[in-house]
């Protein structure tokens, strides 16, 4: 018996449908800017929040009571979880999924048990992918939940912990490669500090840099053609994490010679925790040449922590989609729903409602952003605003044609008296709203 047997496969029914279990805007085969909608969005469902999290929080026990979360043989329950997950993927119609190693397999009591369990479940996943046509957007290793990682994994003060983490990543990368994953993600869940009183910052950064270098070296040895991604987050669970935001990650990659090897997996809720907009993080990653993939979700301004809610702001997503489209779209990345239903949403159908709404929001944002690209008045305005840098003075400055003194002399010679020119922010905000709301 399927856990989701009362939910029929989700179909596109158009904007006028009243069916809450149908797409109103997401039509996978619709062509926009020369590509199908599903090819633009590359949607993925995450294993952990949807099928692992039991609905607990720091104040209360789990509320979901999924059949595969009950007592029983751990491997048998893992297989039941895989059955439910792939049934959900197919009914929703998302082409990709994502996982941590310990989402799909029991961790076991030691490294040997972990290895056996994970190997067994990789075979299950491989068979499931063959049966369903599902693809893996990315895999990763959970280097933060077990108590051994309380002080970090690669940044741990104990080299034995570093080695254990390396073993997990080695096996998770191998599994991702075997399953045809398009990317491999490194999230430094506890790679940071709670207090500087017991932390050697220089040493921990060096450890983390060497760990990432080892991952890249192994990628090439393995023949993995996917992209290595780092997921920035400023804090939580630690007070401060070393992958604070995109700009911080880029500086770290430059320090360790990895800027050509690693890109970023950006999460909306992590961006806002860092004091940035989601739009800012995406635009920054594109500007620095490290844009890779997206964890699509949102936070709650009143809560102030990583709530991982389903994205529903077409206004925010349109600006993000505009940047992605102008940069040429995804290569190996996509939109992964790193999202969970609320603790009170205990019905099986609630998982569908959350994903359907988020997918429709992305589809609307794609439509609106495509209109902005077709009539790209934002780009035209920016070109005009910076036109001086394409002139003789601007080009000579950037090409090294002046020393500081020489440029000062040139300014005096020309008797430069530049005046302020309007940035027209309000006009541009109104323009964007017209694209979004018609």
């Amino acid at each position: 018996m399927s856990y989701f047997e009362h939910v029929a496969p989700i179909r596109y029914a158009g904007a006028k449908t009243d069916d809450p279990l149908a797409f109103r805007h997401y039509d996978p085969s619709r062509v926009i800017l020369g590509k199908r909608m599903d090819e633009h969005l590359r949607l993925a469902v995450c294993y952990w929040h949807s099928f692992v999290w039991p609905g607990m929080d720091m104040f209360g026990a789990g509320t979901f009571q999924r059949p595969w979360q009950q007592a029983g043989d751990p491997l048998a329950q893992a297989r039941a979880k895989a059955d439910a997950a792939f049934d959900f993927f197919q009914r929703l119609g998302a082409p990709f999924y994502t996982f941590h190693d310990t989402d799909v397999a029991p961790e076991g009591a030691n490294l040997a048990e972990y290895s056996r369990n994970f190997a067994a479940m990789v075979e299950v996943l491989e068979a499931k992918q063959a049966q369903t046509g599902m693809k893996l957007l990315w895999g990763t290793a959970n280097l933060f939940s077990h108590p051994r990682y309380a002080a970090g994994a690669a940044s741990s003060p104990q080299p034995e912990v570093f080695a254990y983490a390396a073993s997990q990543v080695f096996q998770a990368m191998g599994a991702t490669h075997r399953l045809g994953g398009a990317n491999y993600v490194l999230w430094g869940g506890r790679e940071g500090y709670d207090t500087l009183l017991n932390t050697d910052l220089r040493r921990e950064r060096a450890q983390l840099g060497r760990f990432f270098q080892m991952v890249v070296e192994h990628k090439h040895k393995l023949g993995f053609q996917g992209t290595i991604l780092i997921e920035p987050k400023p804090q939580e669970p630690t007070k401060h994490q070393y992958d604070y935001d995109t700009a911080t990650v880029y500086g770290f990659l430059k320090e360790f010679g990895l800027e050509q090897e690693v890109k970023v997996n950006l999460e909306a809720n992590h961006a806002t925790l860092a004091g940035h907009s989601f739009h800012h993080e995406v635009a920054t990653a594109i500007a620095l040449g490290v844009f890779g993939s997206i964890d699509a979700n949102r936070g709650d301004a009143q809560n102030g922590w990583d709530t991982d809610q389903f994205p529903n702001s077409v206004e925010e997503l349109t600006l993000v989609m505009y940047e992605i489209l102008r940069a040429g779209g995804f290569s190996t990345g996509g939109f992964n729903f790193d999202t969970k239903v609320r603790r009170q949403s205990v019905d099986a159908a609630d998982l569908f409602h959350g994903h359907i709404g988020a997918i429709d929001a992305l589809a609307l944002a794609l439509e609106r952003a495509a209109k902005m690209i077709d009539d790209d008045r934002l780009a035209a305005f920016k070109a005009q605003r910076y036109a001086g840098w394409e002139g003789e003075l601007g080009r000579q400055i950037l090409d090294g044609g002046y020393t500081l003194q020489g440029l000062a002399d040139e300014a005096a010679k020309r008797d430069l008296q530049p005046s302020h020119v309007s940035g027209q922010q309000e006009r541009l905000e109104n323009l964007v709203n017209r694209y979004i709301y018609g």
Side-chain angles (χ1 to χ4, degrees), residues 48 77 180 229 291 325 418:
W48 52 100
Q77 294 298 74
L229 302 170
F291 175 73
L325 290 176

Side-chain angles (χ1 to χ4, degrees), residues 147-148 151-163 207:
R148 76 175 66 89
S155 62
S156 171
Q158 299 172 266
E160 294 82 3
V161 173
F162 185 108
Q207 291 172 204

Side-chain angles (χ1 to χ4, degrees), residues 30 35 38 46 56 72 99 108 116 142 209 213 217 224 226 248 281 301 317 319 322 336 352 359 393 412 427:
R30 180 183 171 192
K35 288 171 64 174
D38 56 359
C46 81
M56 64 182 294
F99 69 80
R116 287 194 298 270
N142 181 332
Q213 288 170 342
E217 290 163 4
F224 179 54
T248 303
E281 282 291 272
L317 293 172
L319 294 176
Y322 171 77
N336 173 54
F352 286 96
I359 291 170
L393 178 62
R427 174 196 163 198

Side-chain angles (χ1 to χ4, degrees), residues 31-52:
V31 175
I32 295 178
L33 298 179
K35 288 171 64 174
R36 287 169 51 108
M37 190 174 275
D38 56 359
E39 293 172 340
H40 275 296
L41 299 179
R42 291 172 60 84
L43 302 169
V45 178
C46 81
Y47 222 100
W48 52 100
H49 289 323
S50 297
F51 306 102
V52 180

Side-chain angles (χ1 to χ4, degrees), residues 162-207:
F162 185 108
Y164 200 107
S167 178
Q168 277 190 246
V169 171
F170 171 79
Q171 295 183 64
M173 287 184 72
T176 300
H177 180 49
R178 175 176 170 178
L179 296 170
N183 309 271
Y184 183 83
V185 169
L186 295 159
W187 181 53
R190 295 188 188 274
E191 310 293 18
Y193 64 82
D194 294 316
T195 175
L196 287 173
L197 299 179
N198 62 10
T199 302
D200 185 333
L201 280 175
R202 184 185 297 273
R203 179 182 294 276
E204 291 196 1
R205 285 177 59 83
Q207 291 172 204

Side-chain angles (χ1 to χ4, degrees), residues 126-388:
E126 188 173 45
K128 291 284 186 185
Q129 288 184 201
Q131 292 165 5
T132 63
M134 285 294 301
K135 293 173 285 187
L136 179 63
L137 187 67
W138 52 257
T140 188
N142 181 332
L143 307 181
F144 49 89
S145 292
H146 194 280
R148 76 175 66 89
Y149 297 127
S155 62
S156 171
Q158 299 172 266
E160 294 82 3
V161 173
F162 185 108
Y164 200 107
S167 178
Q168 277 190 246
V169 171
F170 171 79
Q171 295 183 64
M173 287 184 72
T176 300
H177 180 49
R178 175 176 170 178
L179 296 170
N183 309 271
Y184 183 83
V185 169
L186 295 159
W187 181 53
R190 295 188 188 274
E191 310 293 18
Y193 64 82
D194 294 316
T195 175
L196 287 173
L197 299 179
N198 62 10
T199 302
D200 185 333
L201 280 175
R202 184 185 297 273
R203 179 182 294 276
E204 291 196 1
R205 285 177 59 83
Q207 291 172 204
L208 199 57
R210 180 58 194 138
F211 194 91
F212 290 165
Q213 288 170 342
M214 291 167 69
V215 167
V216 169
E217 290 163 4
H218 184 64
K219 168 194 168 175
H220 294 297
K221 182 177 180 180
L222 191 63
F224 179 54
Q225 298 300 310
T227 305
I228 303 296
L229 302 170
I230 290 177
E231 183 169 329
K233 189 178 184 182
Q235 72 275 331
E236 192 197 61
T238 63
K239 175 182 177 179
H240 173 87
Q241 294 185 201
Y242 298 128
D243 51 3
Y244 192 93
D245 60 5
T246 297
T248 303
V249 168
Y250 183 74
F252 182 88
L253 295 175
K254 289 281 286 186
E255 179 181 357
F256 292 97
L258 297 169
E259 71 274 13
Q260 301 300 319
E261 296 279 1
V262 180
K263 298 185 184 301
V264 290
N265 181 60
L266 299 172
E267 179 177 313
N269 206 167
H270 294 179
T272 52
L273 285 173
H276 305 311
S277 68
F278 188 22
H279 185 198
H280 164 86
E281 282 291 272
V282 172
T284 299
I286 290 169
L288 294 174
V290 293
F291 175 73
S293 196
I294 296 288
D295 270 9
N297 60 20
R298 79 180 197 274
D300 187 307
Q302 279 70 52
N303 279 350
W305 61 81
D306 194 4
T307 55
D308 289 321
Q309 293 170 249
F310 286 90
N312 63 2
S313 171
V314 175
E315 181 175 329
E316 176 183 56
L317 293 172
T318 296
L319 294 176
V320 167
M321 198 74 71
Y322 171 77
E323 299 292 343
I324 294 173
L325 290 176
R326 289 203 76 239
F330 291 113
S331 55
T332 60
F335 282 104
N336 173 54
F337 293 114
D338 184 4
T339 48
K340 56 191 176 189
V341 295
R342 298 301 88 192
R343 192 164 173 264
Q344 297 180 55
S345 300
V346 297
D347 293 343
D350 291 327
L351 272 175
F352 286 96
H353 291 307
H355 284 88
I356 289 167
I359 291 170
D360 270 343
L362 283 174
L364 276 171
L366 175 61
E367 292 177 1
R368 304 307 190 257
K371 291 180 181 179
M372 293 172 66
I373 296 291
D374 278 334
D375 178 28
D376 207 342
R377 286 193 261 176
L378 287 181
F381 178 84
K382 290 180 184 179
Q384 181 181 14
R385 189 178 188 213
Y386 292 95

